[in-house]
């Protein structure tokens, strides 16, 4: 099997090797305040599925660290099916990854890449979950992890980073500032960057969720999803989900590309706005309680927008009140307690469902545990944290 990076904008190809992040000519166009140009895509030739859990990935199995990432459950939420009138509704529950979020899928592949190449240090910026995730996976793998985190990140995510023994650099500012500082740190020290979108493996690692969804549904006698609701900030989960379905189409495991919905908070909706207008305007300071999807500049915006346009993807925007109400309703209606970003996907489905055929198969991606942000969850139920 052959693996390589390809630039979706200009078609240039590169080896998958340490030090390679963006496409050279396209990355040279990068400017402050705009989504990343030149984000690369992993490609393969000559893969065939050899077992029920076989997924094409650019790092061999033996390099993955010893902790159980992925293979997360797909719930049949009986009461919510009745309440919403969607008998083929499913919840993809990524709260049960080791660090409590979907981000472990990306950290897992980046850690495997590091192991393969004898790399011992990784740095990254995060709104919270990527940091706690890389710290967690790094602890299992024996990697030194340095994270740049906004000082106002939820306490649980910060404490996770410290518990897992990573180095915490608190940033007095937004995630966007943390992103720039961490990149400068990686460039100066040569430490491997796990910055989301910038490192193409962060996209590739997330595609595993699509394989699991399609195959779990297959075992239930279903033909693959019609709609997938994805909580969206930087647009890397969205892109990874598309990559997975592209692979599945190529391998003949599904018959059509689902309609993927980018679910965004009103106060951080750059991708939804760009899908409407066709371009990314100047950054708007983010303002939402859903910290994991709060970004001024969606780093993977250009790439995510291209996929949405290519496949007829949609966007849905919800306010913080709707997110908090959806969080409470999801917990009480299904037993799945999600953090606000993931509740945004549930709120997005509730808002969009009027325009969807109730016979369609819908998957809502629940990406992070509610225990990661108790302060906002307390607000939703009128309690003190
Ligand atoms: C990071 C994150 C998201 C959003 O992912 P993007 O790739 O930034 O769009 C959604 N939910 C959770 C729990 C996250 O940690």
């Amino acid at each position: 099997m052959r693996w390589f990076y390809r630039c979706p904008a200009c078609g240039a190809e590169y080896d998958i090797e340490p030090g390679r992040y963006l496409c050279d000519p396209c990355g040279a166009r990068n400017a402050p305040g705009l989504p990343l140009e030149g984000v690369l895509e992993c490609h393969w030739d000559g893969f065939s599925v050899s077992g029920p859990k076989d997924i094409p990935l650019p790092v061999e199995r033996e390099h993955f660290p010893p902790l159980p990432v992925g293979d997360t459950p797909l719930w049949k939420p009986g009461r919510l099916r009745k309440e919403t009138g969607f008998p083929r509704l499913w919840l993809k529950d990524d709260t049960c990854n080791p660090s409590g979020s979907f981000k472990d899928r990306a950290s897992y592949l980046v850690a495997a890449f590091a192991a393969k190449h004898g790399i011992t240090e990784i740095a990254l910026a995060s709104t919270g979950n990527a940091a706690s995730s890389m710290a967690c996976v790094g602890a299992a793998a024996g990697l030194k992890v340095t994270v740049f985190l906004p000082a106002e990140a939820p306490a649980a995510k910060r404490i996770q980073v410290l518990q897992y023994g990573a180095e915490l650099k608190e940033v007095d500012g937004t995630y966007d500032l943390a992103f720039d500082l961490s990149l400068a740190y990686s460039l100066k020290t040569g430490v491997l960057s796990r910055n989301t979108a910038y490192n193409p493996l962060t996209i590739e690692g997330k595609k595993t969720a699509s394989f699991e969804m399609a195959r779990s549904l297959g075992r239930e006698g279903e033909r693959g999803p019609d709609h997938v609701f994805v909580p969206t900030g930087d647009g890397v989960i969205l892109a990874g989900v598309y990559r997975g379905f592209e692979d599945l189409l190529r391998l003949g495991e599904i018959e059509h590309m689902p309609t993927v919905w980018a679910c965004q908070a009103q106060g951080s909706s750059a991708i939804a706005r760009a899908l409407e207008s066709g371009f990314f305007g100047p950054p708007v300071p983010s303002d939402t309680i859903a910290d994991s999807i709060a970004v001024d500049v969606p780093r993977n915006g250009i790439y995510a927008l291209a996929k949405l346009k290519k496949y007829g993807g949609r966007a849905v925007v919800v306010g913080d009140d709707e997110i908090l109400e959806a969080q409470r309703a999801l917990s009480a209606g299904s037993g799945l307690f999600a953090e606000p970003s993931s509740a945004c996907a549930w709120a997005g489905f509730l808002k969009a469902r009027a325009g969807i055929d109730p016979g369609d198969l819908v998957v809502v991606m629940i990406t992070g545990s509610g225990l990661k942000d108790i302060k906002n969850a307390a607000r939703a139920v009128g309690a003190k944290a």
Side-chain angles (χ1 to χ4, degrees), residues 100-103 127-130 157 175 196 206 230-238 271 292-293 295 300 339 341-342 366-369 372:
S101 90
F102 192 96
K103 295 284 193 293
T127 63
N129 280 337
K157 301 181 183 184
Y175 165 63
T196 197
K206 290 175 176 176
V230 184
T232 301
D234 278 318
V236 174
I237 298 184
L238 184 102
I271 289 178
S292 300
I293 50 173
V295 303
N300 203 35
E339 64 158 67
S341 62
S342 316
I366 305 300
T367 47
S369 164
K372 280 174 165 280

Side-chain angles (χ1 to χ4, degrees), residues 29-37 39 270 280-281 297-303:
R29 289 200 300 269
N30 273 314
L34 287 172
L36 284 172
E37 300 262 9
V39 171
F280 286 96
V297 180
R299 297 294 156 172
N300 203 35
I302 293 172
Y303 181 111

Side-chain angles (χ1 to χ4, degrees), residues 36-357:
L36 284 172
E37 300 262 9
V39 171
L40 293 172
E41 201 167 71
C42 292
H43 283 269
W44 50 266
D45 274 333
F47 171 84
S48 59
V49 177
S50 60
K53 290 194 174 173
D54 199 15
I55 297 174
L57 286 171
V59 182
E60 298 77 10
R61 269 286 139 199
E62 74 252 31
H63 300 296
F64 283 79
L67 81 173
V69 171
D71 262 332
T72 60
L74 194 64
W75 292 32
K76 282 185 208 178
R79 291 181 56 216
L80 295 178
R81 285 178 169 190
K82 280 214 185 76
E83 247 169 61
T84 57
F86 279 74
R88 296 167 77 213
L89 171 70
W90 302 79
L91 304 173
K92 177 66 172 163
D93 174 13
D94 260 66
T95 70
C96 51
N97 275 307
S99 82
S101 90
F102 192 96
K103 295 284 193 293
D104 290 354
R105 295 178 184 276
S107 303
Y108 197 43
L109 180 59
V110 173
F113 176 82
K116 176 174 175 169
H117 293 281
I119 292 167
T120 56
E121 272 189 70
I122 295 182
L124 73 153
S126 171
T127 63
N129 280 337
S132 44
S133 169
M134 194 67 246
C136 169
V137 174
L143 289 161
K144 178 172 189 288
V145 175
T146 304
V147 308
F148 292 76
L149 201 62
E152 78 266 27
K157 301 181 183 184
R158 226 173 49 240
I159 303 305
Q160 278 185 291
V161 167
L162 296 170
Q163 272 285 336
Y164 296 131
E167 185 168 334
L168 174 63
K169 293 194 188 290
E170 278 190 309
V171 175
D172 194 15
T174 61
Y175 165 63
D176 298 80
L177 178 64
F179 194 97
D180 294 341
L181 290 175
S182 101
L183 214 51
Y185 176 84
S186 279
L187 291 174
K188 192 179 87 197
T189 58
V191 166
L192 178 67
S193 172
R194 183 223 177 273
N195 274 10
T196 197
Y198 181 72
N199 183 330
L201 299 177
T202 58
I203 300 174
E204 191 70 3
K206 290 175 176 176
K207 79 180 185 184
T208 54
S210 302
F211 278 83
E212 293 169 20
M213 277 186 256
R215 289 172 179 174
S216 306
L217 289 169
R219 286 194 296 277
E220 298 277 347
E222 296 280 14
R223 304 293 297 165
D226 298 309
H227 297 268
V228 181
F229 285 79
V230 184
T232 301
D234 278 318
V236 174
I237 298 184
L238 184 102
V241 163
Y242 268 126
R243 287 303 289 148
F245 287 122
E246 284 177 331
D247 275 1
L248 286 156
L249 276 171
R250 185 171 163 193
L251 293 166
E253 292 194 37
I254 57 170
E255 280 158 12
H256 65 275
M257 181 59 80
T259 301
V260 175
W261 292 77
C263 304
Q264 296 212 282
Q266 192 80 57
S268 176
S269 61
I271 289 178
R273 291 197 308 273
L275 186 58
E276 193 147 315
S277 68
F279 61 93
F280 286 96
V284 177
S286 60
D287 180 15
T288 169
I289 51 141
D291 65 290
S292 300
I293 50 173
V295 303
D296 300 358
V297 180
R299 297 294 156 172
N300 203 35
I302 293 172
Y303 181 111
L305 184 64
K307 291 284 185 223
L308 286 166
K309 283 184 176 165
K310 179 169 181 187
Y311 295 112
R314 308 279 300 271
V316 55
V317 174
V318 295
D320 280 2
D321 290 349
E322 288 169 279
I323 290 175
L324 286 178
E325 174 49 26
Q327 182 186 38
R328 195 200 52 70
L330 178 65
S331 300
S334 73
L336 215 177
F337 180 23
E339 64 158 67
S341 62
S342 316
C344 175
W346 180 243
F349 164 66
L350 294 179
K351 191 166 219 168
R353 76 184 146 141
I356 299 176
D357 180 344

